[in-house]
Amino acid sequence: MTRSAEAALLVTASVVAAFGTALIGFTRGVGLDAQVALTFIVFVSSFGSVHLALRRWAPSANPYLFPLAAFLTAVGITEVYRINPSLGGVQRWSLLLAGLTASAVLFLLRGDGVAALRRYRFLFLTAGVALLLLPLLPDTWPIHGIEANGSRLWVGMDIPGGRELSFQPGELAKIALAVFLASYLADHHLAMGTTRRKIGRLDVPPLGQFGPILLAAGAAFAVLVYQRDLGASLLVFALFVGAIYLATGKLAYLVVGGGLVAIGGIVSYQMFDHVQRRVSAWLDPFADFSDTGYQVAQGLFALGSGSLTGSGVGLGRPDLIPAAATDFIFAAVAEEMGLAGAIAVIAAYALLVAAGFGIALHTRDLFRKFLAASLTLVFAVQSLLIMAGVLRLFPITGITLPFMSYGGTSLLANMTLLALLARISHGART
Amino acid sequence: MPALFLNLLKLIFLALIYLFLWQVARSIGRHVGAPQAGRSSKRAGEMVVVRSDSIAGQRFSIGAPAVMGRSEEADIVIDDPYASDFHVRVGVQDGAVLASDLGSTNGTYVNGRRVTVPTPLIKGDSIQIGKTILEVR
């Protein structure tokens, strides 16, 4: 019964995507064209393959994860396609690949499920850290880092034919690190949750237990310094601190983590130009409108002009915002679909996060419980950070909005993340 | 394209977006509201003390979250020198029966494994508090 409800929802989400593409055709004056059919076919094939994989290998998995993802992707791809049709075309192929990857993950984990990953804890830690630092590879190597907009978070790979394949390894690192954390915490949460001393009203675990947090702080700071990637840096650190707090329930970890963020923030503000620019654009984007504040200010204009129902897809000017198809996709959606569209998007994220934590709550096995919680946490923090950045509640962190931003790696990583969550929710009580 | 037509399309698109969310909400409502045949028979109803020096055989029904412990002020008093004053909370939360250890000194064990996070209980599970063992039925 749950799976047929899922199928119905996936069809509606695919219709949303096709309708969005049709809208753009109408505003461009070309009317209905083959693009509409192509979008619909890609959505149905991509999510259809995941749906069939779930029916076969995880029939009692949560039926809302992939429909919500399909809905967010539909709204996102509409706006990406509207901003730049060729990017929209690429994103369609990425979606197809991401759907097949998620199905493949469900196939590979068909036996014991995610429990099989628990043994390879240090492999995942190594992979996570390596992926995080991969963009530091020198420019002349066949696999090399790429510097864009002052940050070094891309990796290019030369492929035959003189072309280059580029991807964002940080998006995959978050999954590897979540698997490591879940496995580590499943074995160590008791020791980390033991408290013998109190400082004021705060239970304090033994000092040695703060090791993982300090390690994460070091890695996050390295990413901030050498890659100038504020987003990945904050995301990795929030994942570690949040997951440890979820597993132990000890407030001391949050306090220490928050303190380290404050210290790191102040130090990097003093030391680095790129952090200073982000902060000043956040505090007062109009002080330096034409330069550092331009992106944030244009984002605000877009949000403001959107009003209740928006300008209509294809009728606004989201192209005025730098990085409208990636970091600022939320501003573009709010401009052309209005407050109504923006709230629908936020509701879909909230439902996804609620579903994720619900899976964690109802899973008995500790590794799978912690893995569900960590994956949901990293997804939630990423969505929150970038939407808050666009709304000027937080400095811009330069990470993608899951499922909506243009970007193949991001789409692939987040579909894989959902496949893992879905597999955990299948047979959660054992 | 005439502006009126485009405006209409815009509103239809938004309506479609909310149709999706409504569909999700309705489906979740059914999911949560419907009594699940397979599960309801396994839903835990009460706890029976199966091992204890003093209170063996006592039964406690499982409903709203109740605190179990040695203190006279606990909802369910467990007469056991190894139990903490307020040891564990057991009850129905979000449709599942959960046991949440309240930071007890000697820990709460479900089916022999110490639990530190809220743990769902089903029929047949055992809960150990100090030396007292209860079975969920």
Side-chain angles (χ1 to χ4, degrees):
Chain A
M1 182 213 115
T2 55
R3 291 270 84 86
S4 52
E6 179 183 71
L9 290 168
L10 286 174
V11 169
T12 310
S14 305
V15 171
V16 170
F19 197 92
T21 312
L23 268 182
I24 298 161
F26 281 121
T27 54
R28 293 232 160 90
V30 294
L32 288 170
D33 58 1
Q35 300 295 332
V36 179
L38 197 56
T39 304
F40 189 73
I41 291 168
V42 166
F43 264 76
V44 169
S45 341
S46 175
F47 288 101
S49 87
V50 178
H51 174 71
L52 292 178
L54 286 171
R55 269 187 190 271
R56 182 134 178 72
W57 297 304
S60 70
N62 184 307
Y64 303 107
L65 297 173
F66 283 100
L68 287 165
F71 168 74
L72 290 167
T73 314
V75 174
I77 215 167
T78 300
E79 206 51 54
V80 170
Y81 187 75
R82 181 256 172 274
I83 293 163
N84 185 337
S86 66
L87 291 188
V90 176
Q91 186 77 341
R92 273 198 299 242
W93 295 119
S94 305
L95 178 60
L96 208 51
L97 184 66
L100 293 176
T101 308
S103 313
V105 168
L106 287 166
F107 169 73
L108 289 173
L109 298 176
R110 67 193 180 284
D112 295 339
V114 295
L117 307 177
R118 183 171 178 172
R119 273 168 284 158
Y120 306 110
R121 180 192 301 171
F122 286 101
L123 190 69
F124 280 103
L125 176 67
T126 316
V129 173
L131 283 168
L132 213 52
L133 301 179
L134 207 59
L136 294 177
L137 293 177
D139 289 347
T140 48
W141 289 19
I143 298 177
H144 53 82
I146 298 173
E147 194 146 341
N149 306 322
S151 293
R152 201 178 174 92
L153 45 94
W154 285 87
V155 168
M157 197 159 67
D158 296 329
I159 50 175
R163 307 215 310 175
E164 195 183 63
L165 194 71
S166 60
F167 58 101
Q168 246 178 314
E171 290 283 345
L172 297 167
K174 67 185 186 192
I175 296 179
L177 291 175
V179 175
F180 160 75
L181 263 174
S183 170
Y184 183 84
L185 287 172
D187 288 346
H188 296 273
H189 77 286
L190 272 184
M192 296 187 74
T194 318
T195 50
R196 291 201 196 84
R197 278 166 303 154
K198 269 182 172 253
I199 297 178
R201 296 176 60 184
L202 199 65
D203 293 319
V204 181
L207 280 182
Q209 303 298 348
F210 286 96
I213 280 198
L214 291 174
L215 196 83
F221 201 67
V223 169
L224 184 65
V225 175
Y226 294 108
Q227 283 155 238
R228 293 185 288 283
D229 186 356
L230 187 60
S233 166
L234 267 174
L235 198 57
V236 166
F237 193 59
L239 168 64
F240 268 74
V241 175
I244 292 171
Y245 172 65
L246 283 177
T248 60
K250 296 298 174 205
L251 213 54
Y253 290 109
L254 275 191
V255 172
V256 170
L260 285 171
V261 168
I263 295 169
I266 293 168
V267 169
S268 52
Y269 181 80
Q270 302 291 343
M271 281 170 65
F272 309 117
D273 203 32
H274 63 280
V275 178
Q276 267 171 34
R277 268 188 275 126
R278 294 267 170 90
V279 172
S280 67
W282 168 52
L283 292 175
D284 189 0
F286 297 99
D288 187 9
F289 173 74
S290 60
D291 185 20
T292 55
Y294 187 73
Q295 188 181 36
V296 176
Q298 286 295 351
L300 291 176
F301 289 146
L303 291 173
S305 63
S307 187
L308 192 61
T309 56
S311 62
V313 176
L315 302 173
R317 290 302 306 276
D319 49 303
L320 291 176
I321 319 165
T326 52
D327 299 357
F328 272 69
I329 190 84
F330 187 66
V333 166
E335 174 174 0
E336 298 208 319
M337 303 177 197
L339 183 66
I343 285 180
V345 163
I346 293 175
Y349 280 111
L351 285 169
L352 255 182
V353 171
F357 282 130
I359 291 169
L361 273 178
H362 288 103
T363 305
R364 296 185 129 199
D365 171 69
L366 279 182
F367 169 66
R368 290 192 291 148
K369 182 191 269 299
F370 292 159
L371 183 57
S374 309
L375 291 172
T376 309
L377 186 74
V378 78
F379 178 84
V381 170
Q382 181 169 357
S383 312
L384 209 59
L385 271 182
I386 188 63
M387 284 196 285
V390 169
L391 294 172
R392 211 166 73 82
L393 296 167
F394 197 76
I396 280 295
T397 38
I399 41 180
T400 58
L401 185 55
F403 297 115
M404 291 185 72
S405 290
Y406 168 71
T409 328
S410 172
L411 201 53
L412 200 125
N414 287 306
M415 287 283 269
T416 305
L417 189 153
L418 281 200
L420 292 175
L421 270 180
R423 188 60 184 81
I424 295 170
S425 71
H426 172 65
R429 296 181 60 83
T430 53
Chain B
M1 287 284 155
L4 187 70
F5 176 63
L6 289 178
N7 253 314
L8 198 67
L9 284 184
K10 169 183 104 174
L11 294 177
I12 294 174
F13 186 58
L14 283 175
L16 204 54
I17 285 178
Y18 278 89
L19 172 75
F20 173 83
L21 287 179
W22 178 74
Q23 215 181 343
V24 172
R26 201 187 49 170
S27 178
I28 292 178
R30 277 206 195 128
H31 206 75
V32 176
Q36 291 170 340
R39 242 169 145 195
S40 61
S41 61
K42 285 171 76 183
R43 168 69 65 76
E46 61 172 5
M47 295 175 285
V48 181
V49 180
V50 291
R51 194 183 85 184
S52 164
D53 294 338
S54 52
I55 55 167
Q58 279 197 23
R59 288 161 182 273
F60 310 106
S61 65
I62 300 174
V67 174
M68 308 172 70
R70 194 157 48 95
S71 162
E72 289 295 323
E73 285 164 36
D75 300 321
I76 297 174
V77 181
I78 301 293
D79 179 22
D80 182 325
Y82 293 95
S84 295
D85 279 350
F86 302 100
H87 197 105
V88 61
R89 185 190 301 117
V90 176
V92 181
Q93 280 174 17
D94 304 327
V97 178
L98 294 182
S100 321
D101 186 76
L102 300 171
S104 62
T105 312
N106 294 317
T108 301
Y109 294 79
V110 172
N111 300 334
R113 291 178 67 170
R114 187 166 183 166
V115 295
T116 50
V117 288
T119 304
L121 298 175
I122 51 173
K123 279 190 179 182
D125 284 348
S126 75
I127 315 169
Q128 183 172 355
I129 299 166
K131 287 191 158 179
T132 306
I133 297 180
L134 301 93
E135 192 183 301
V136 179
R137 289 185 185 169

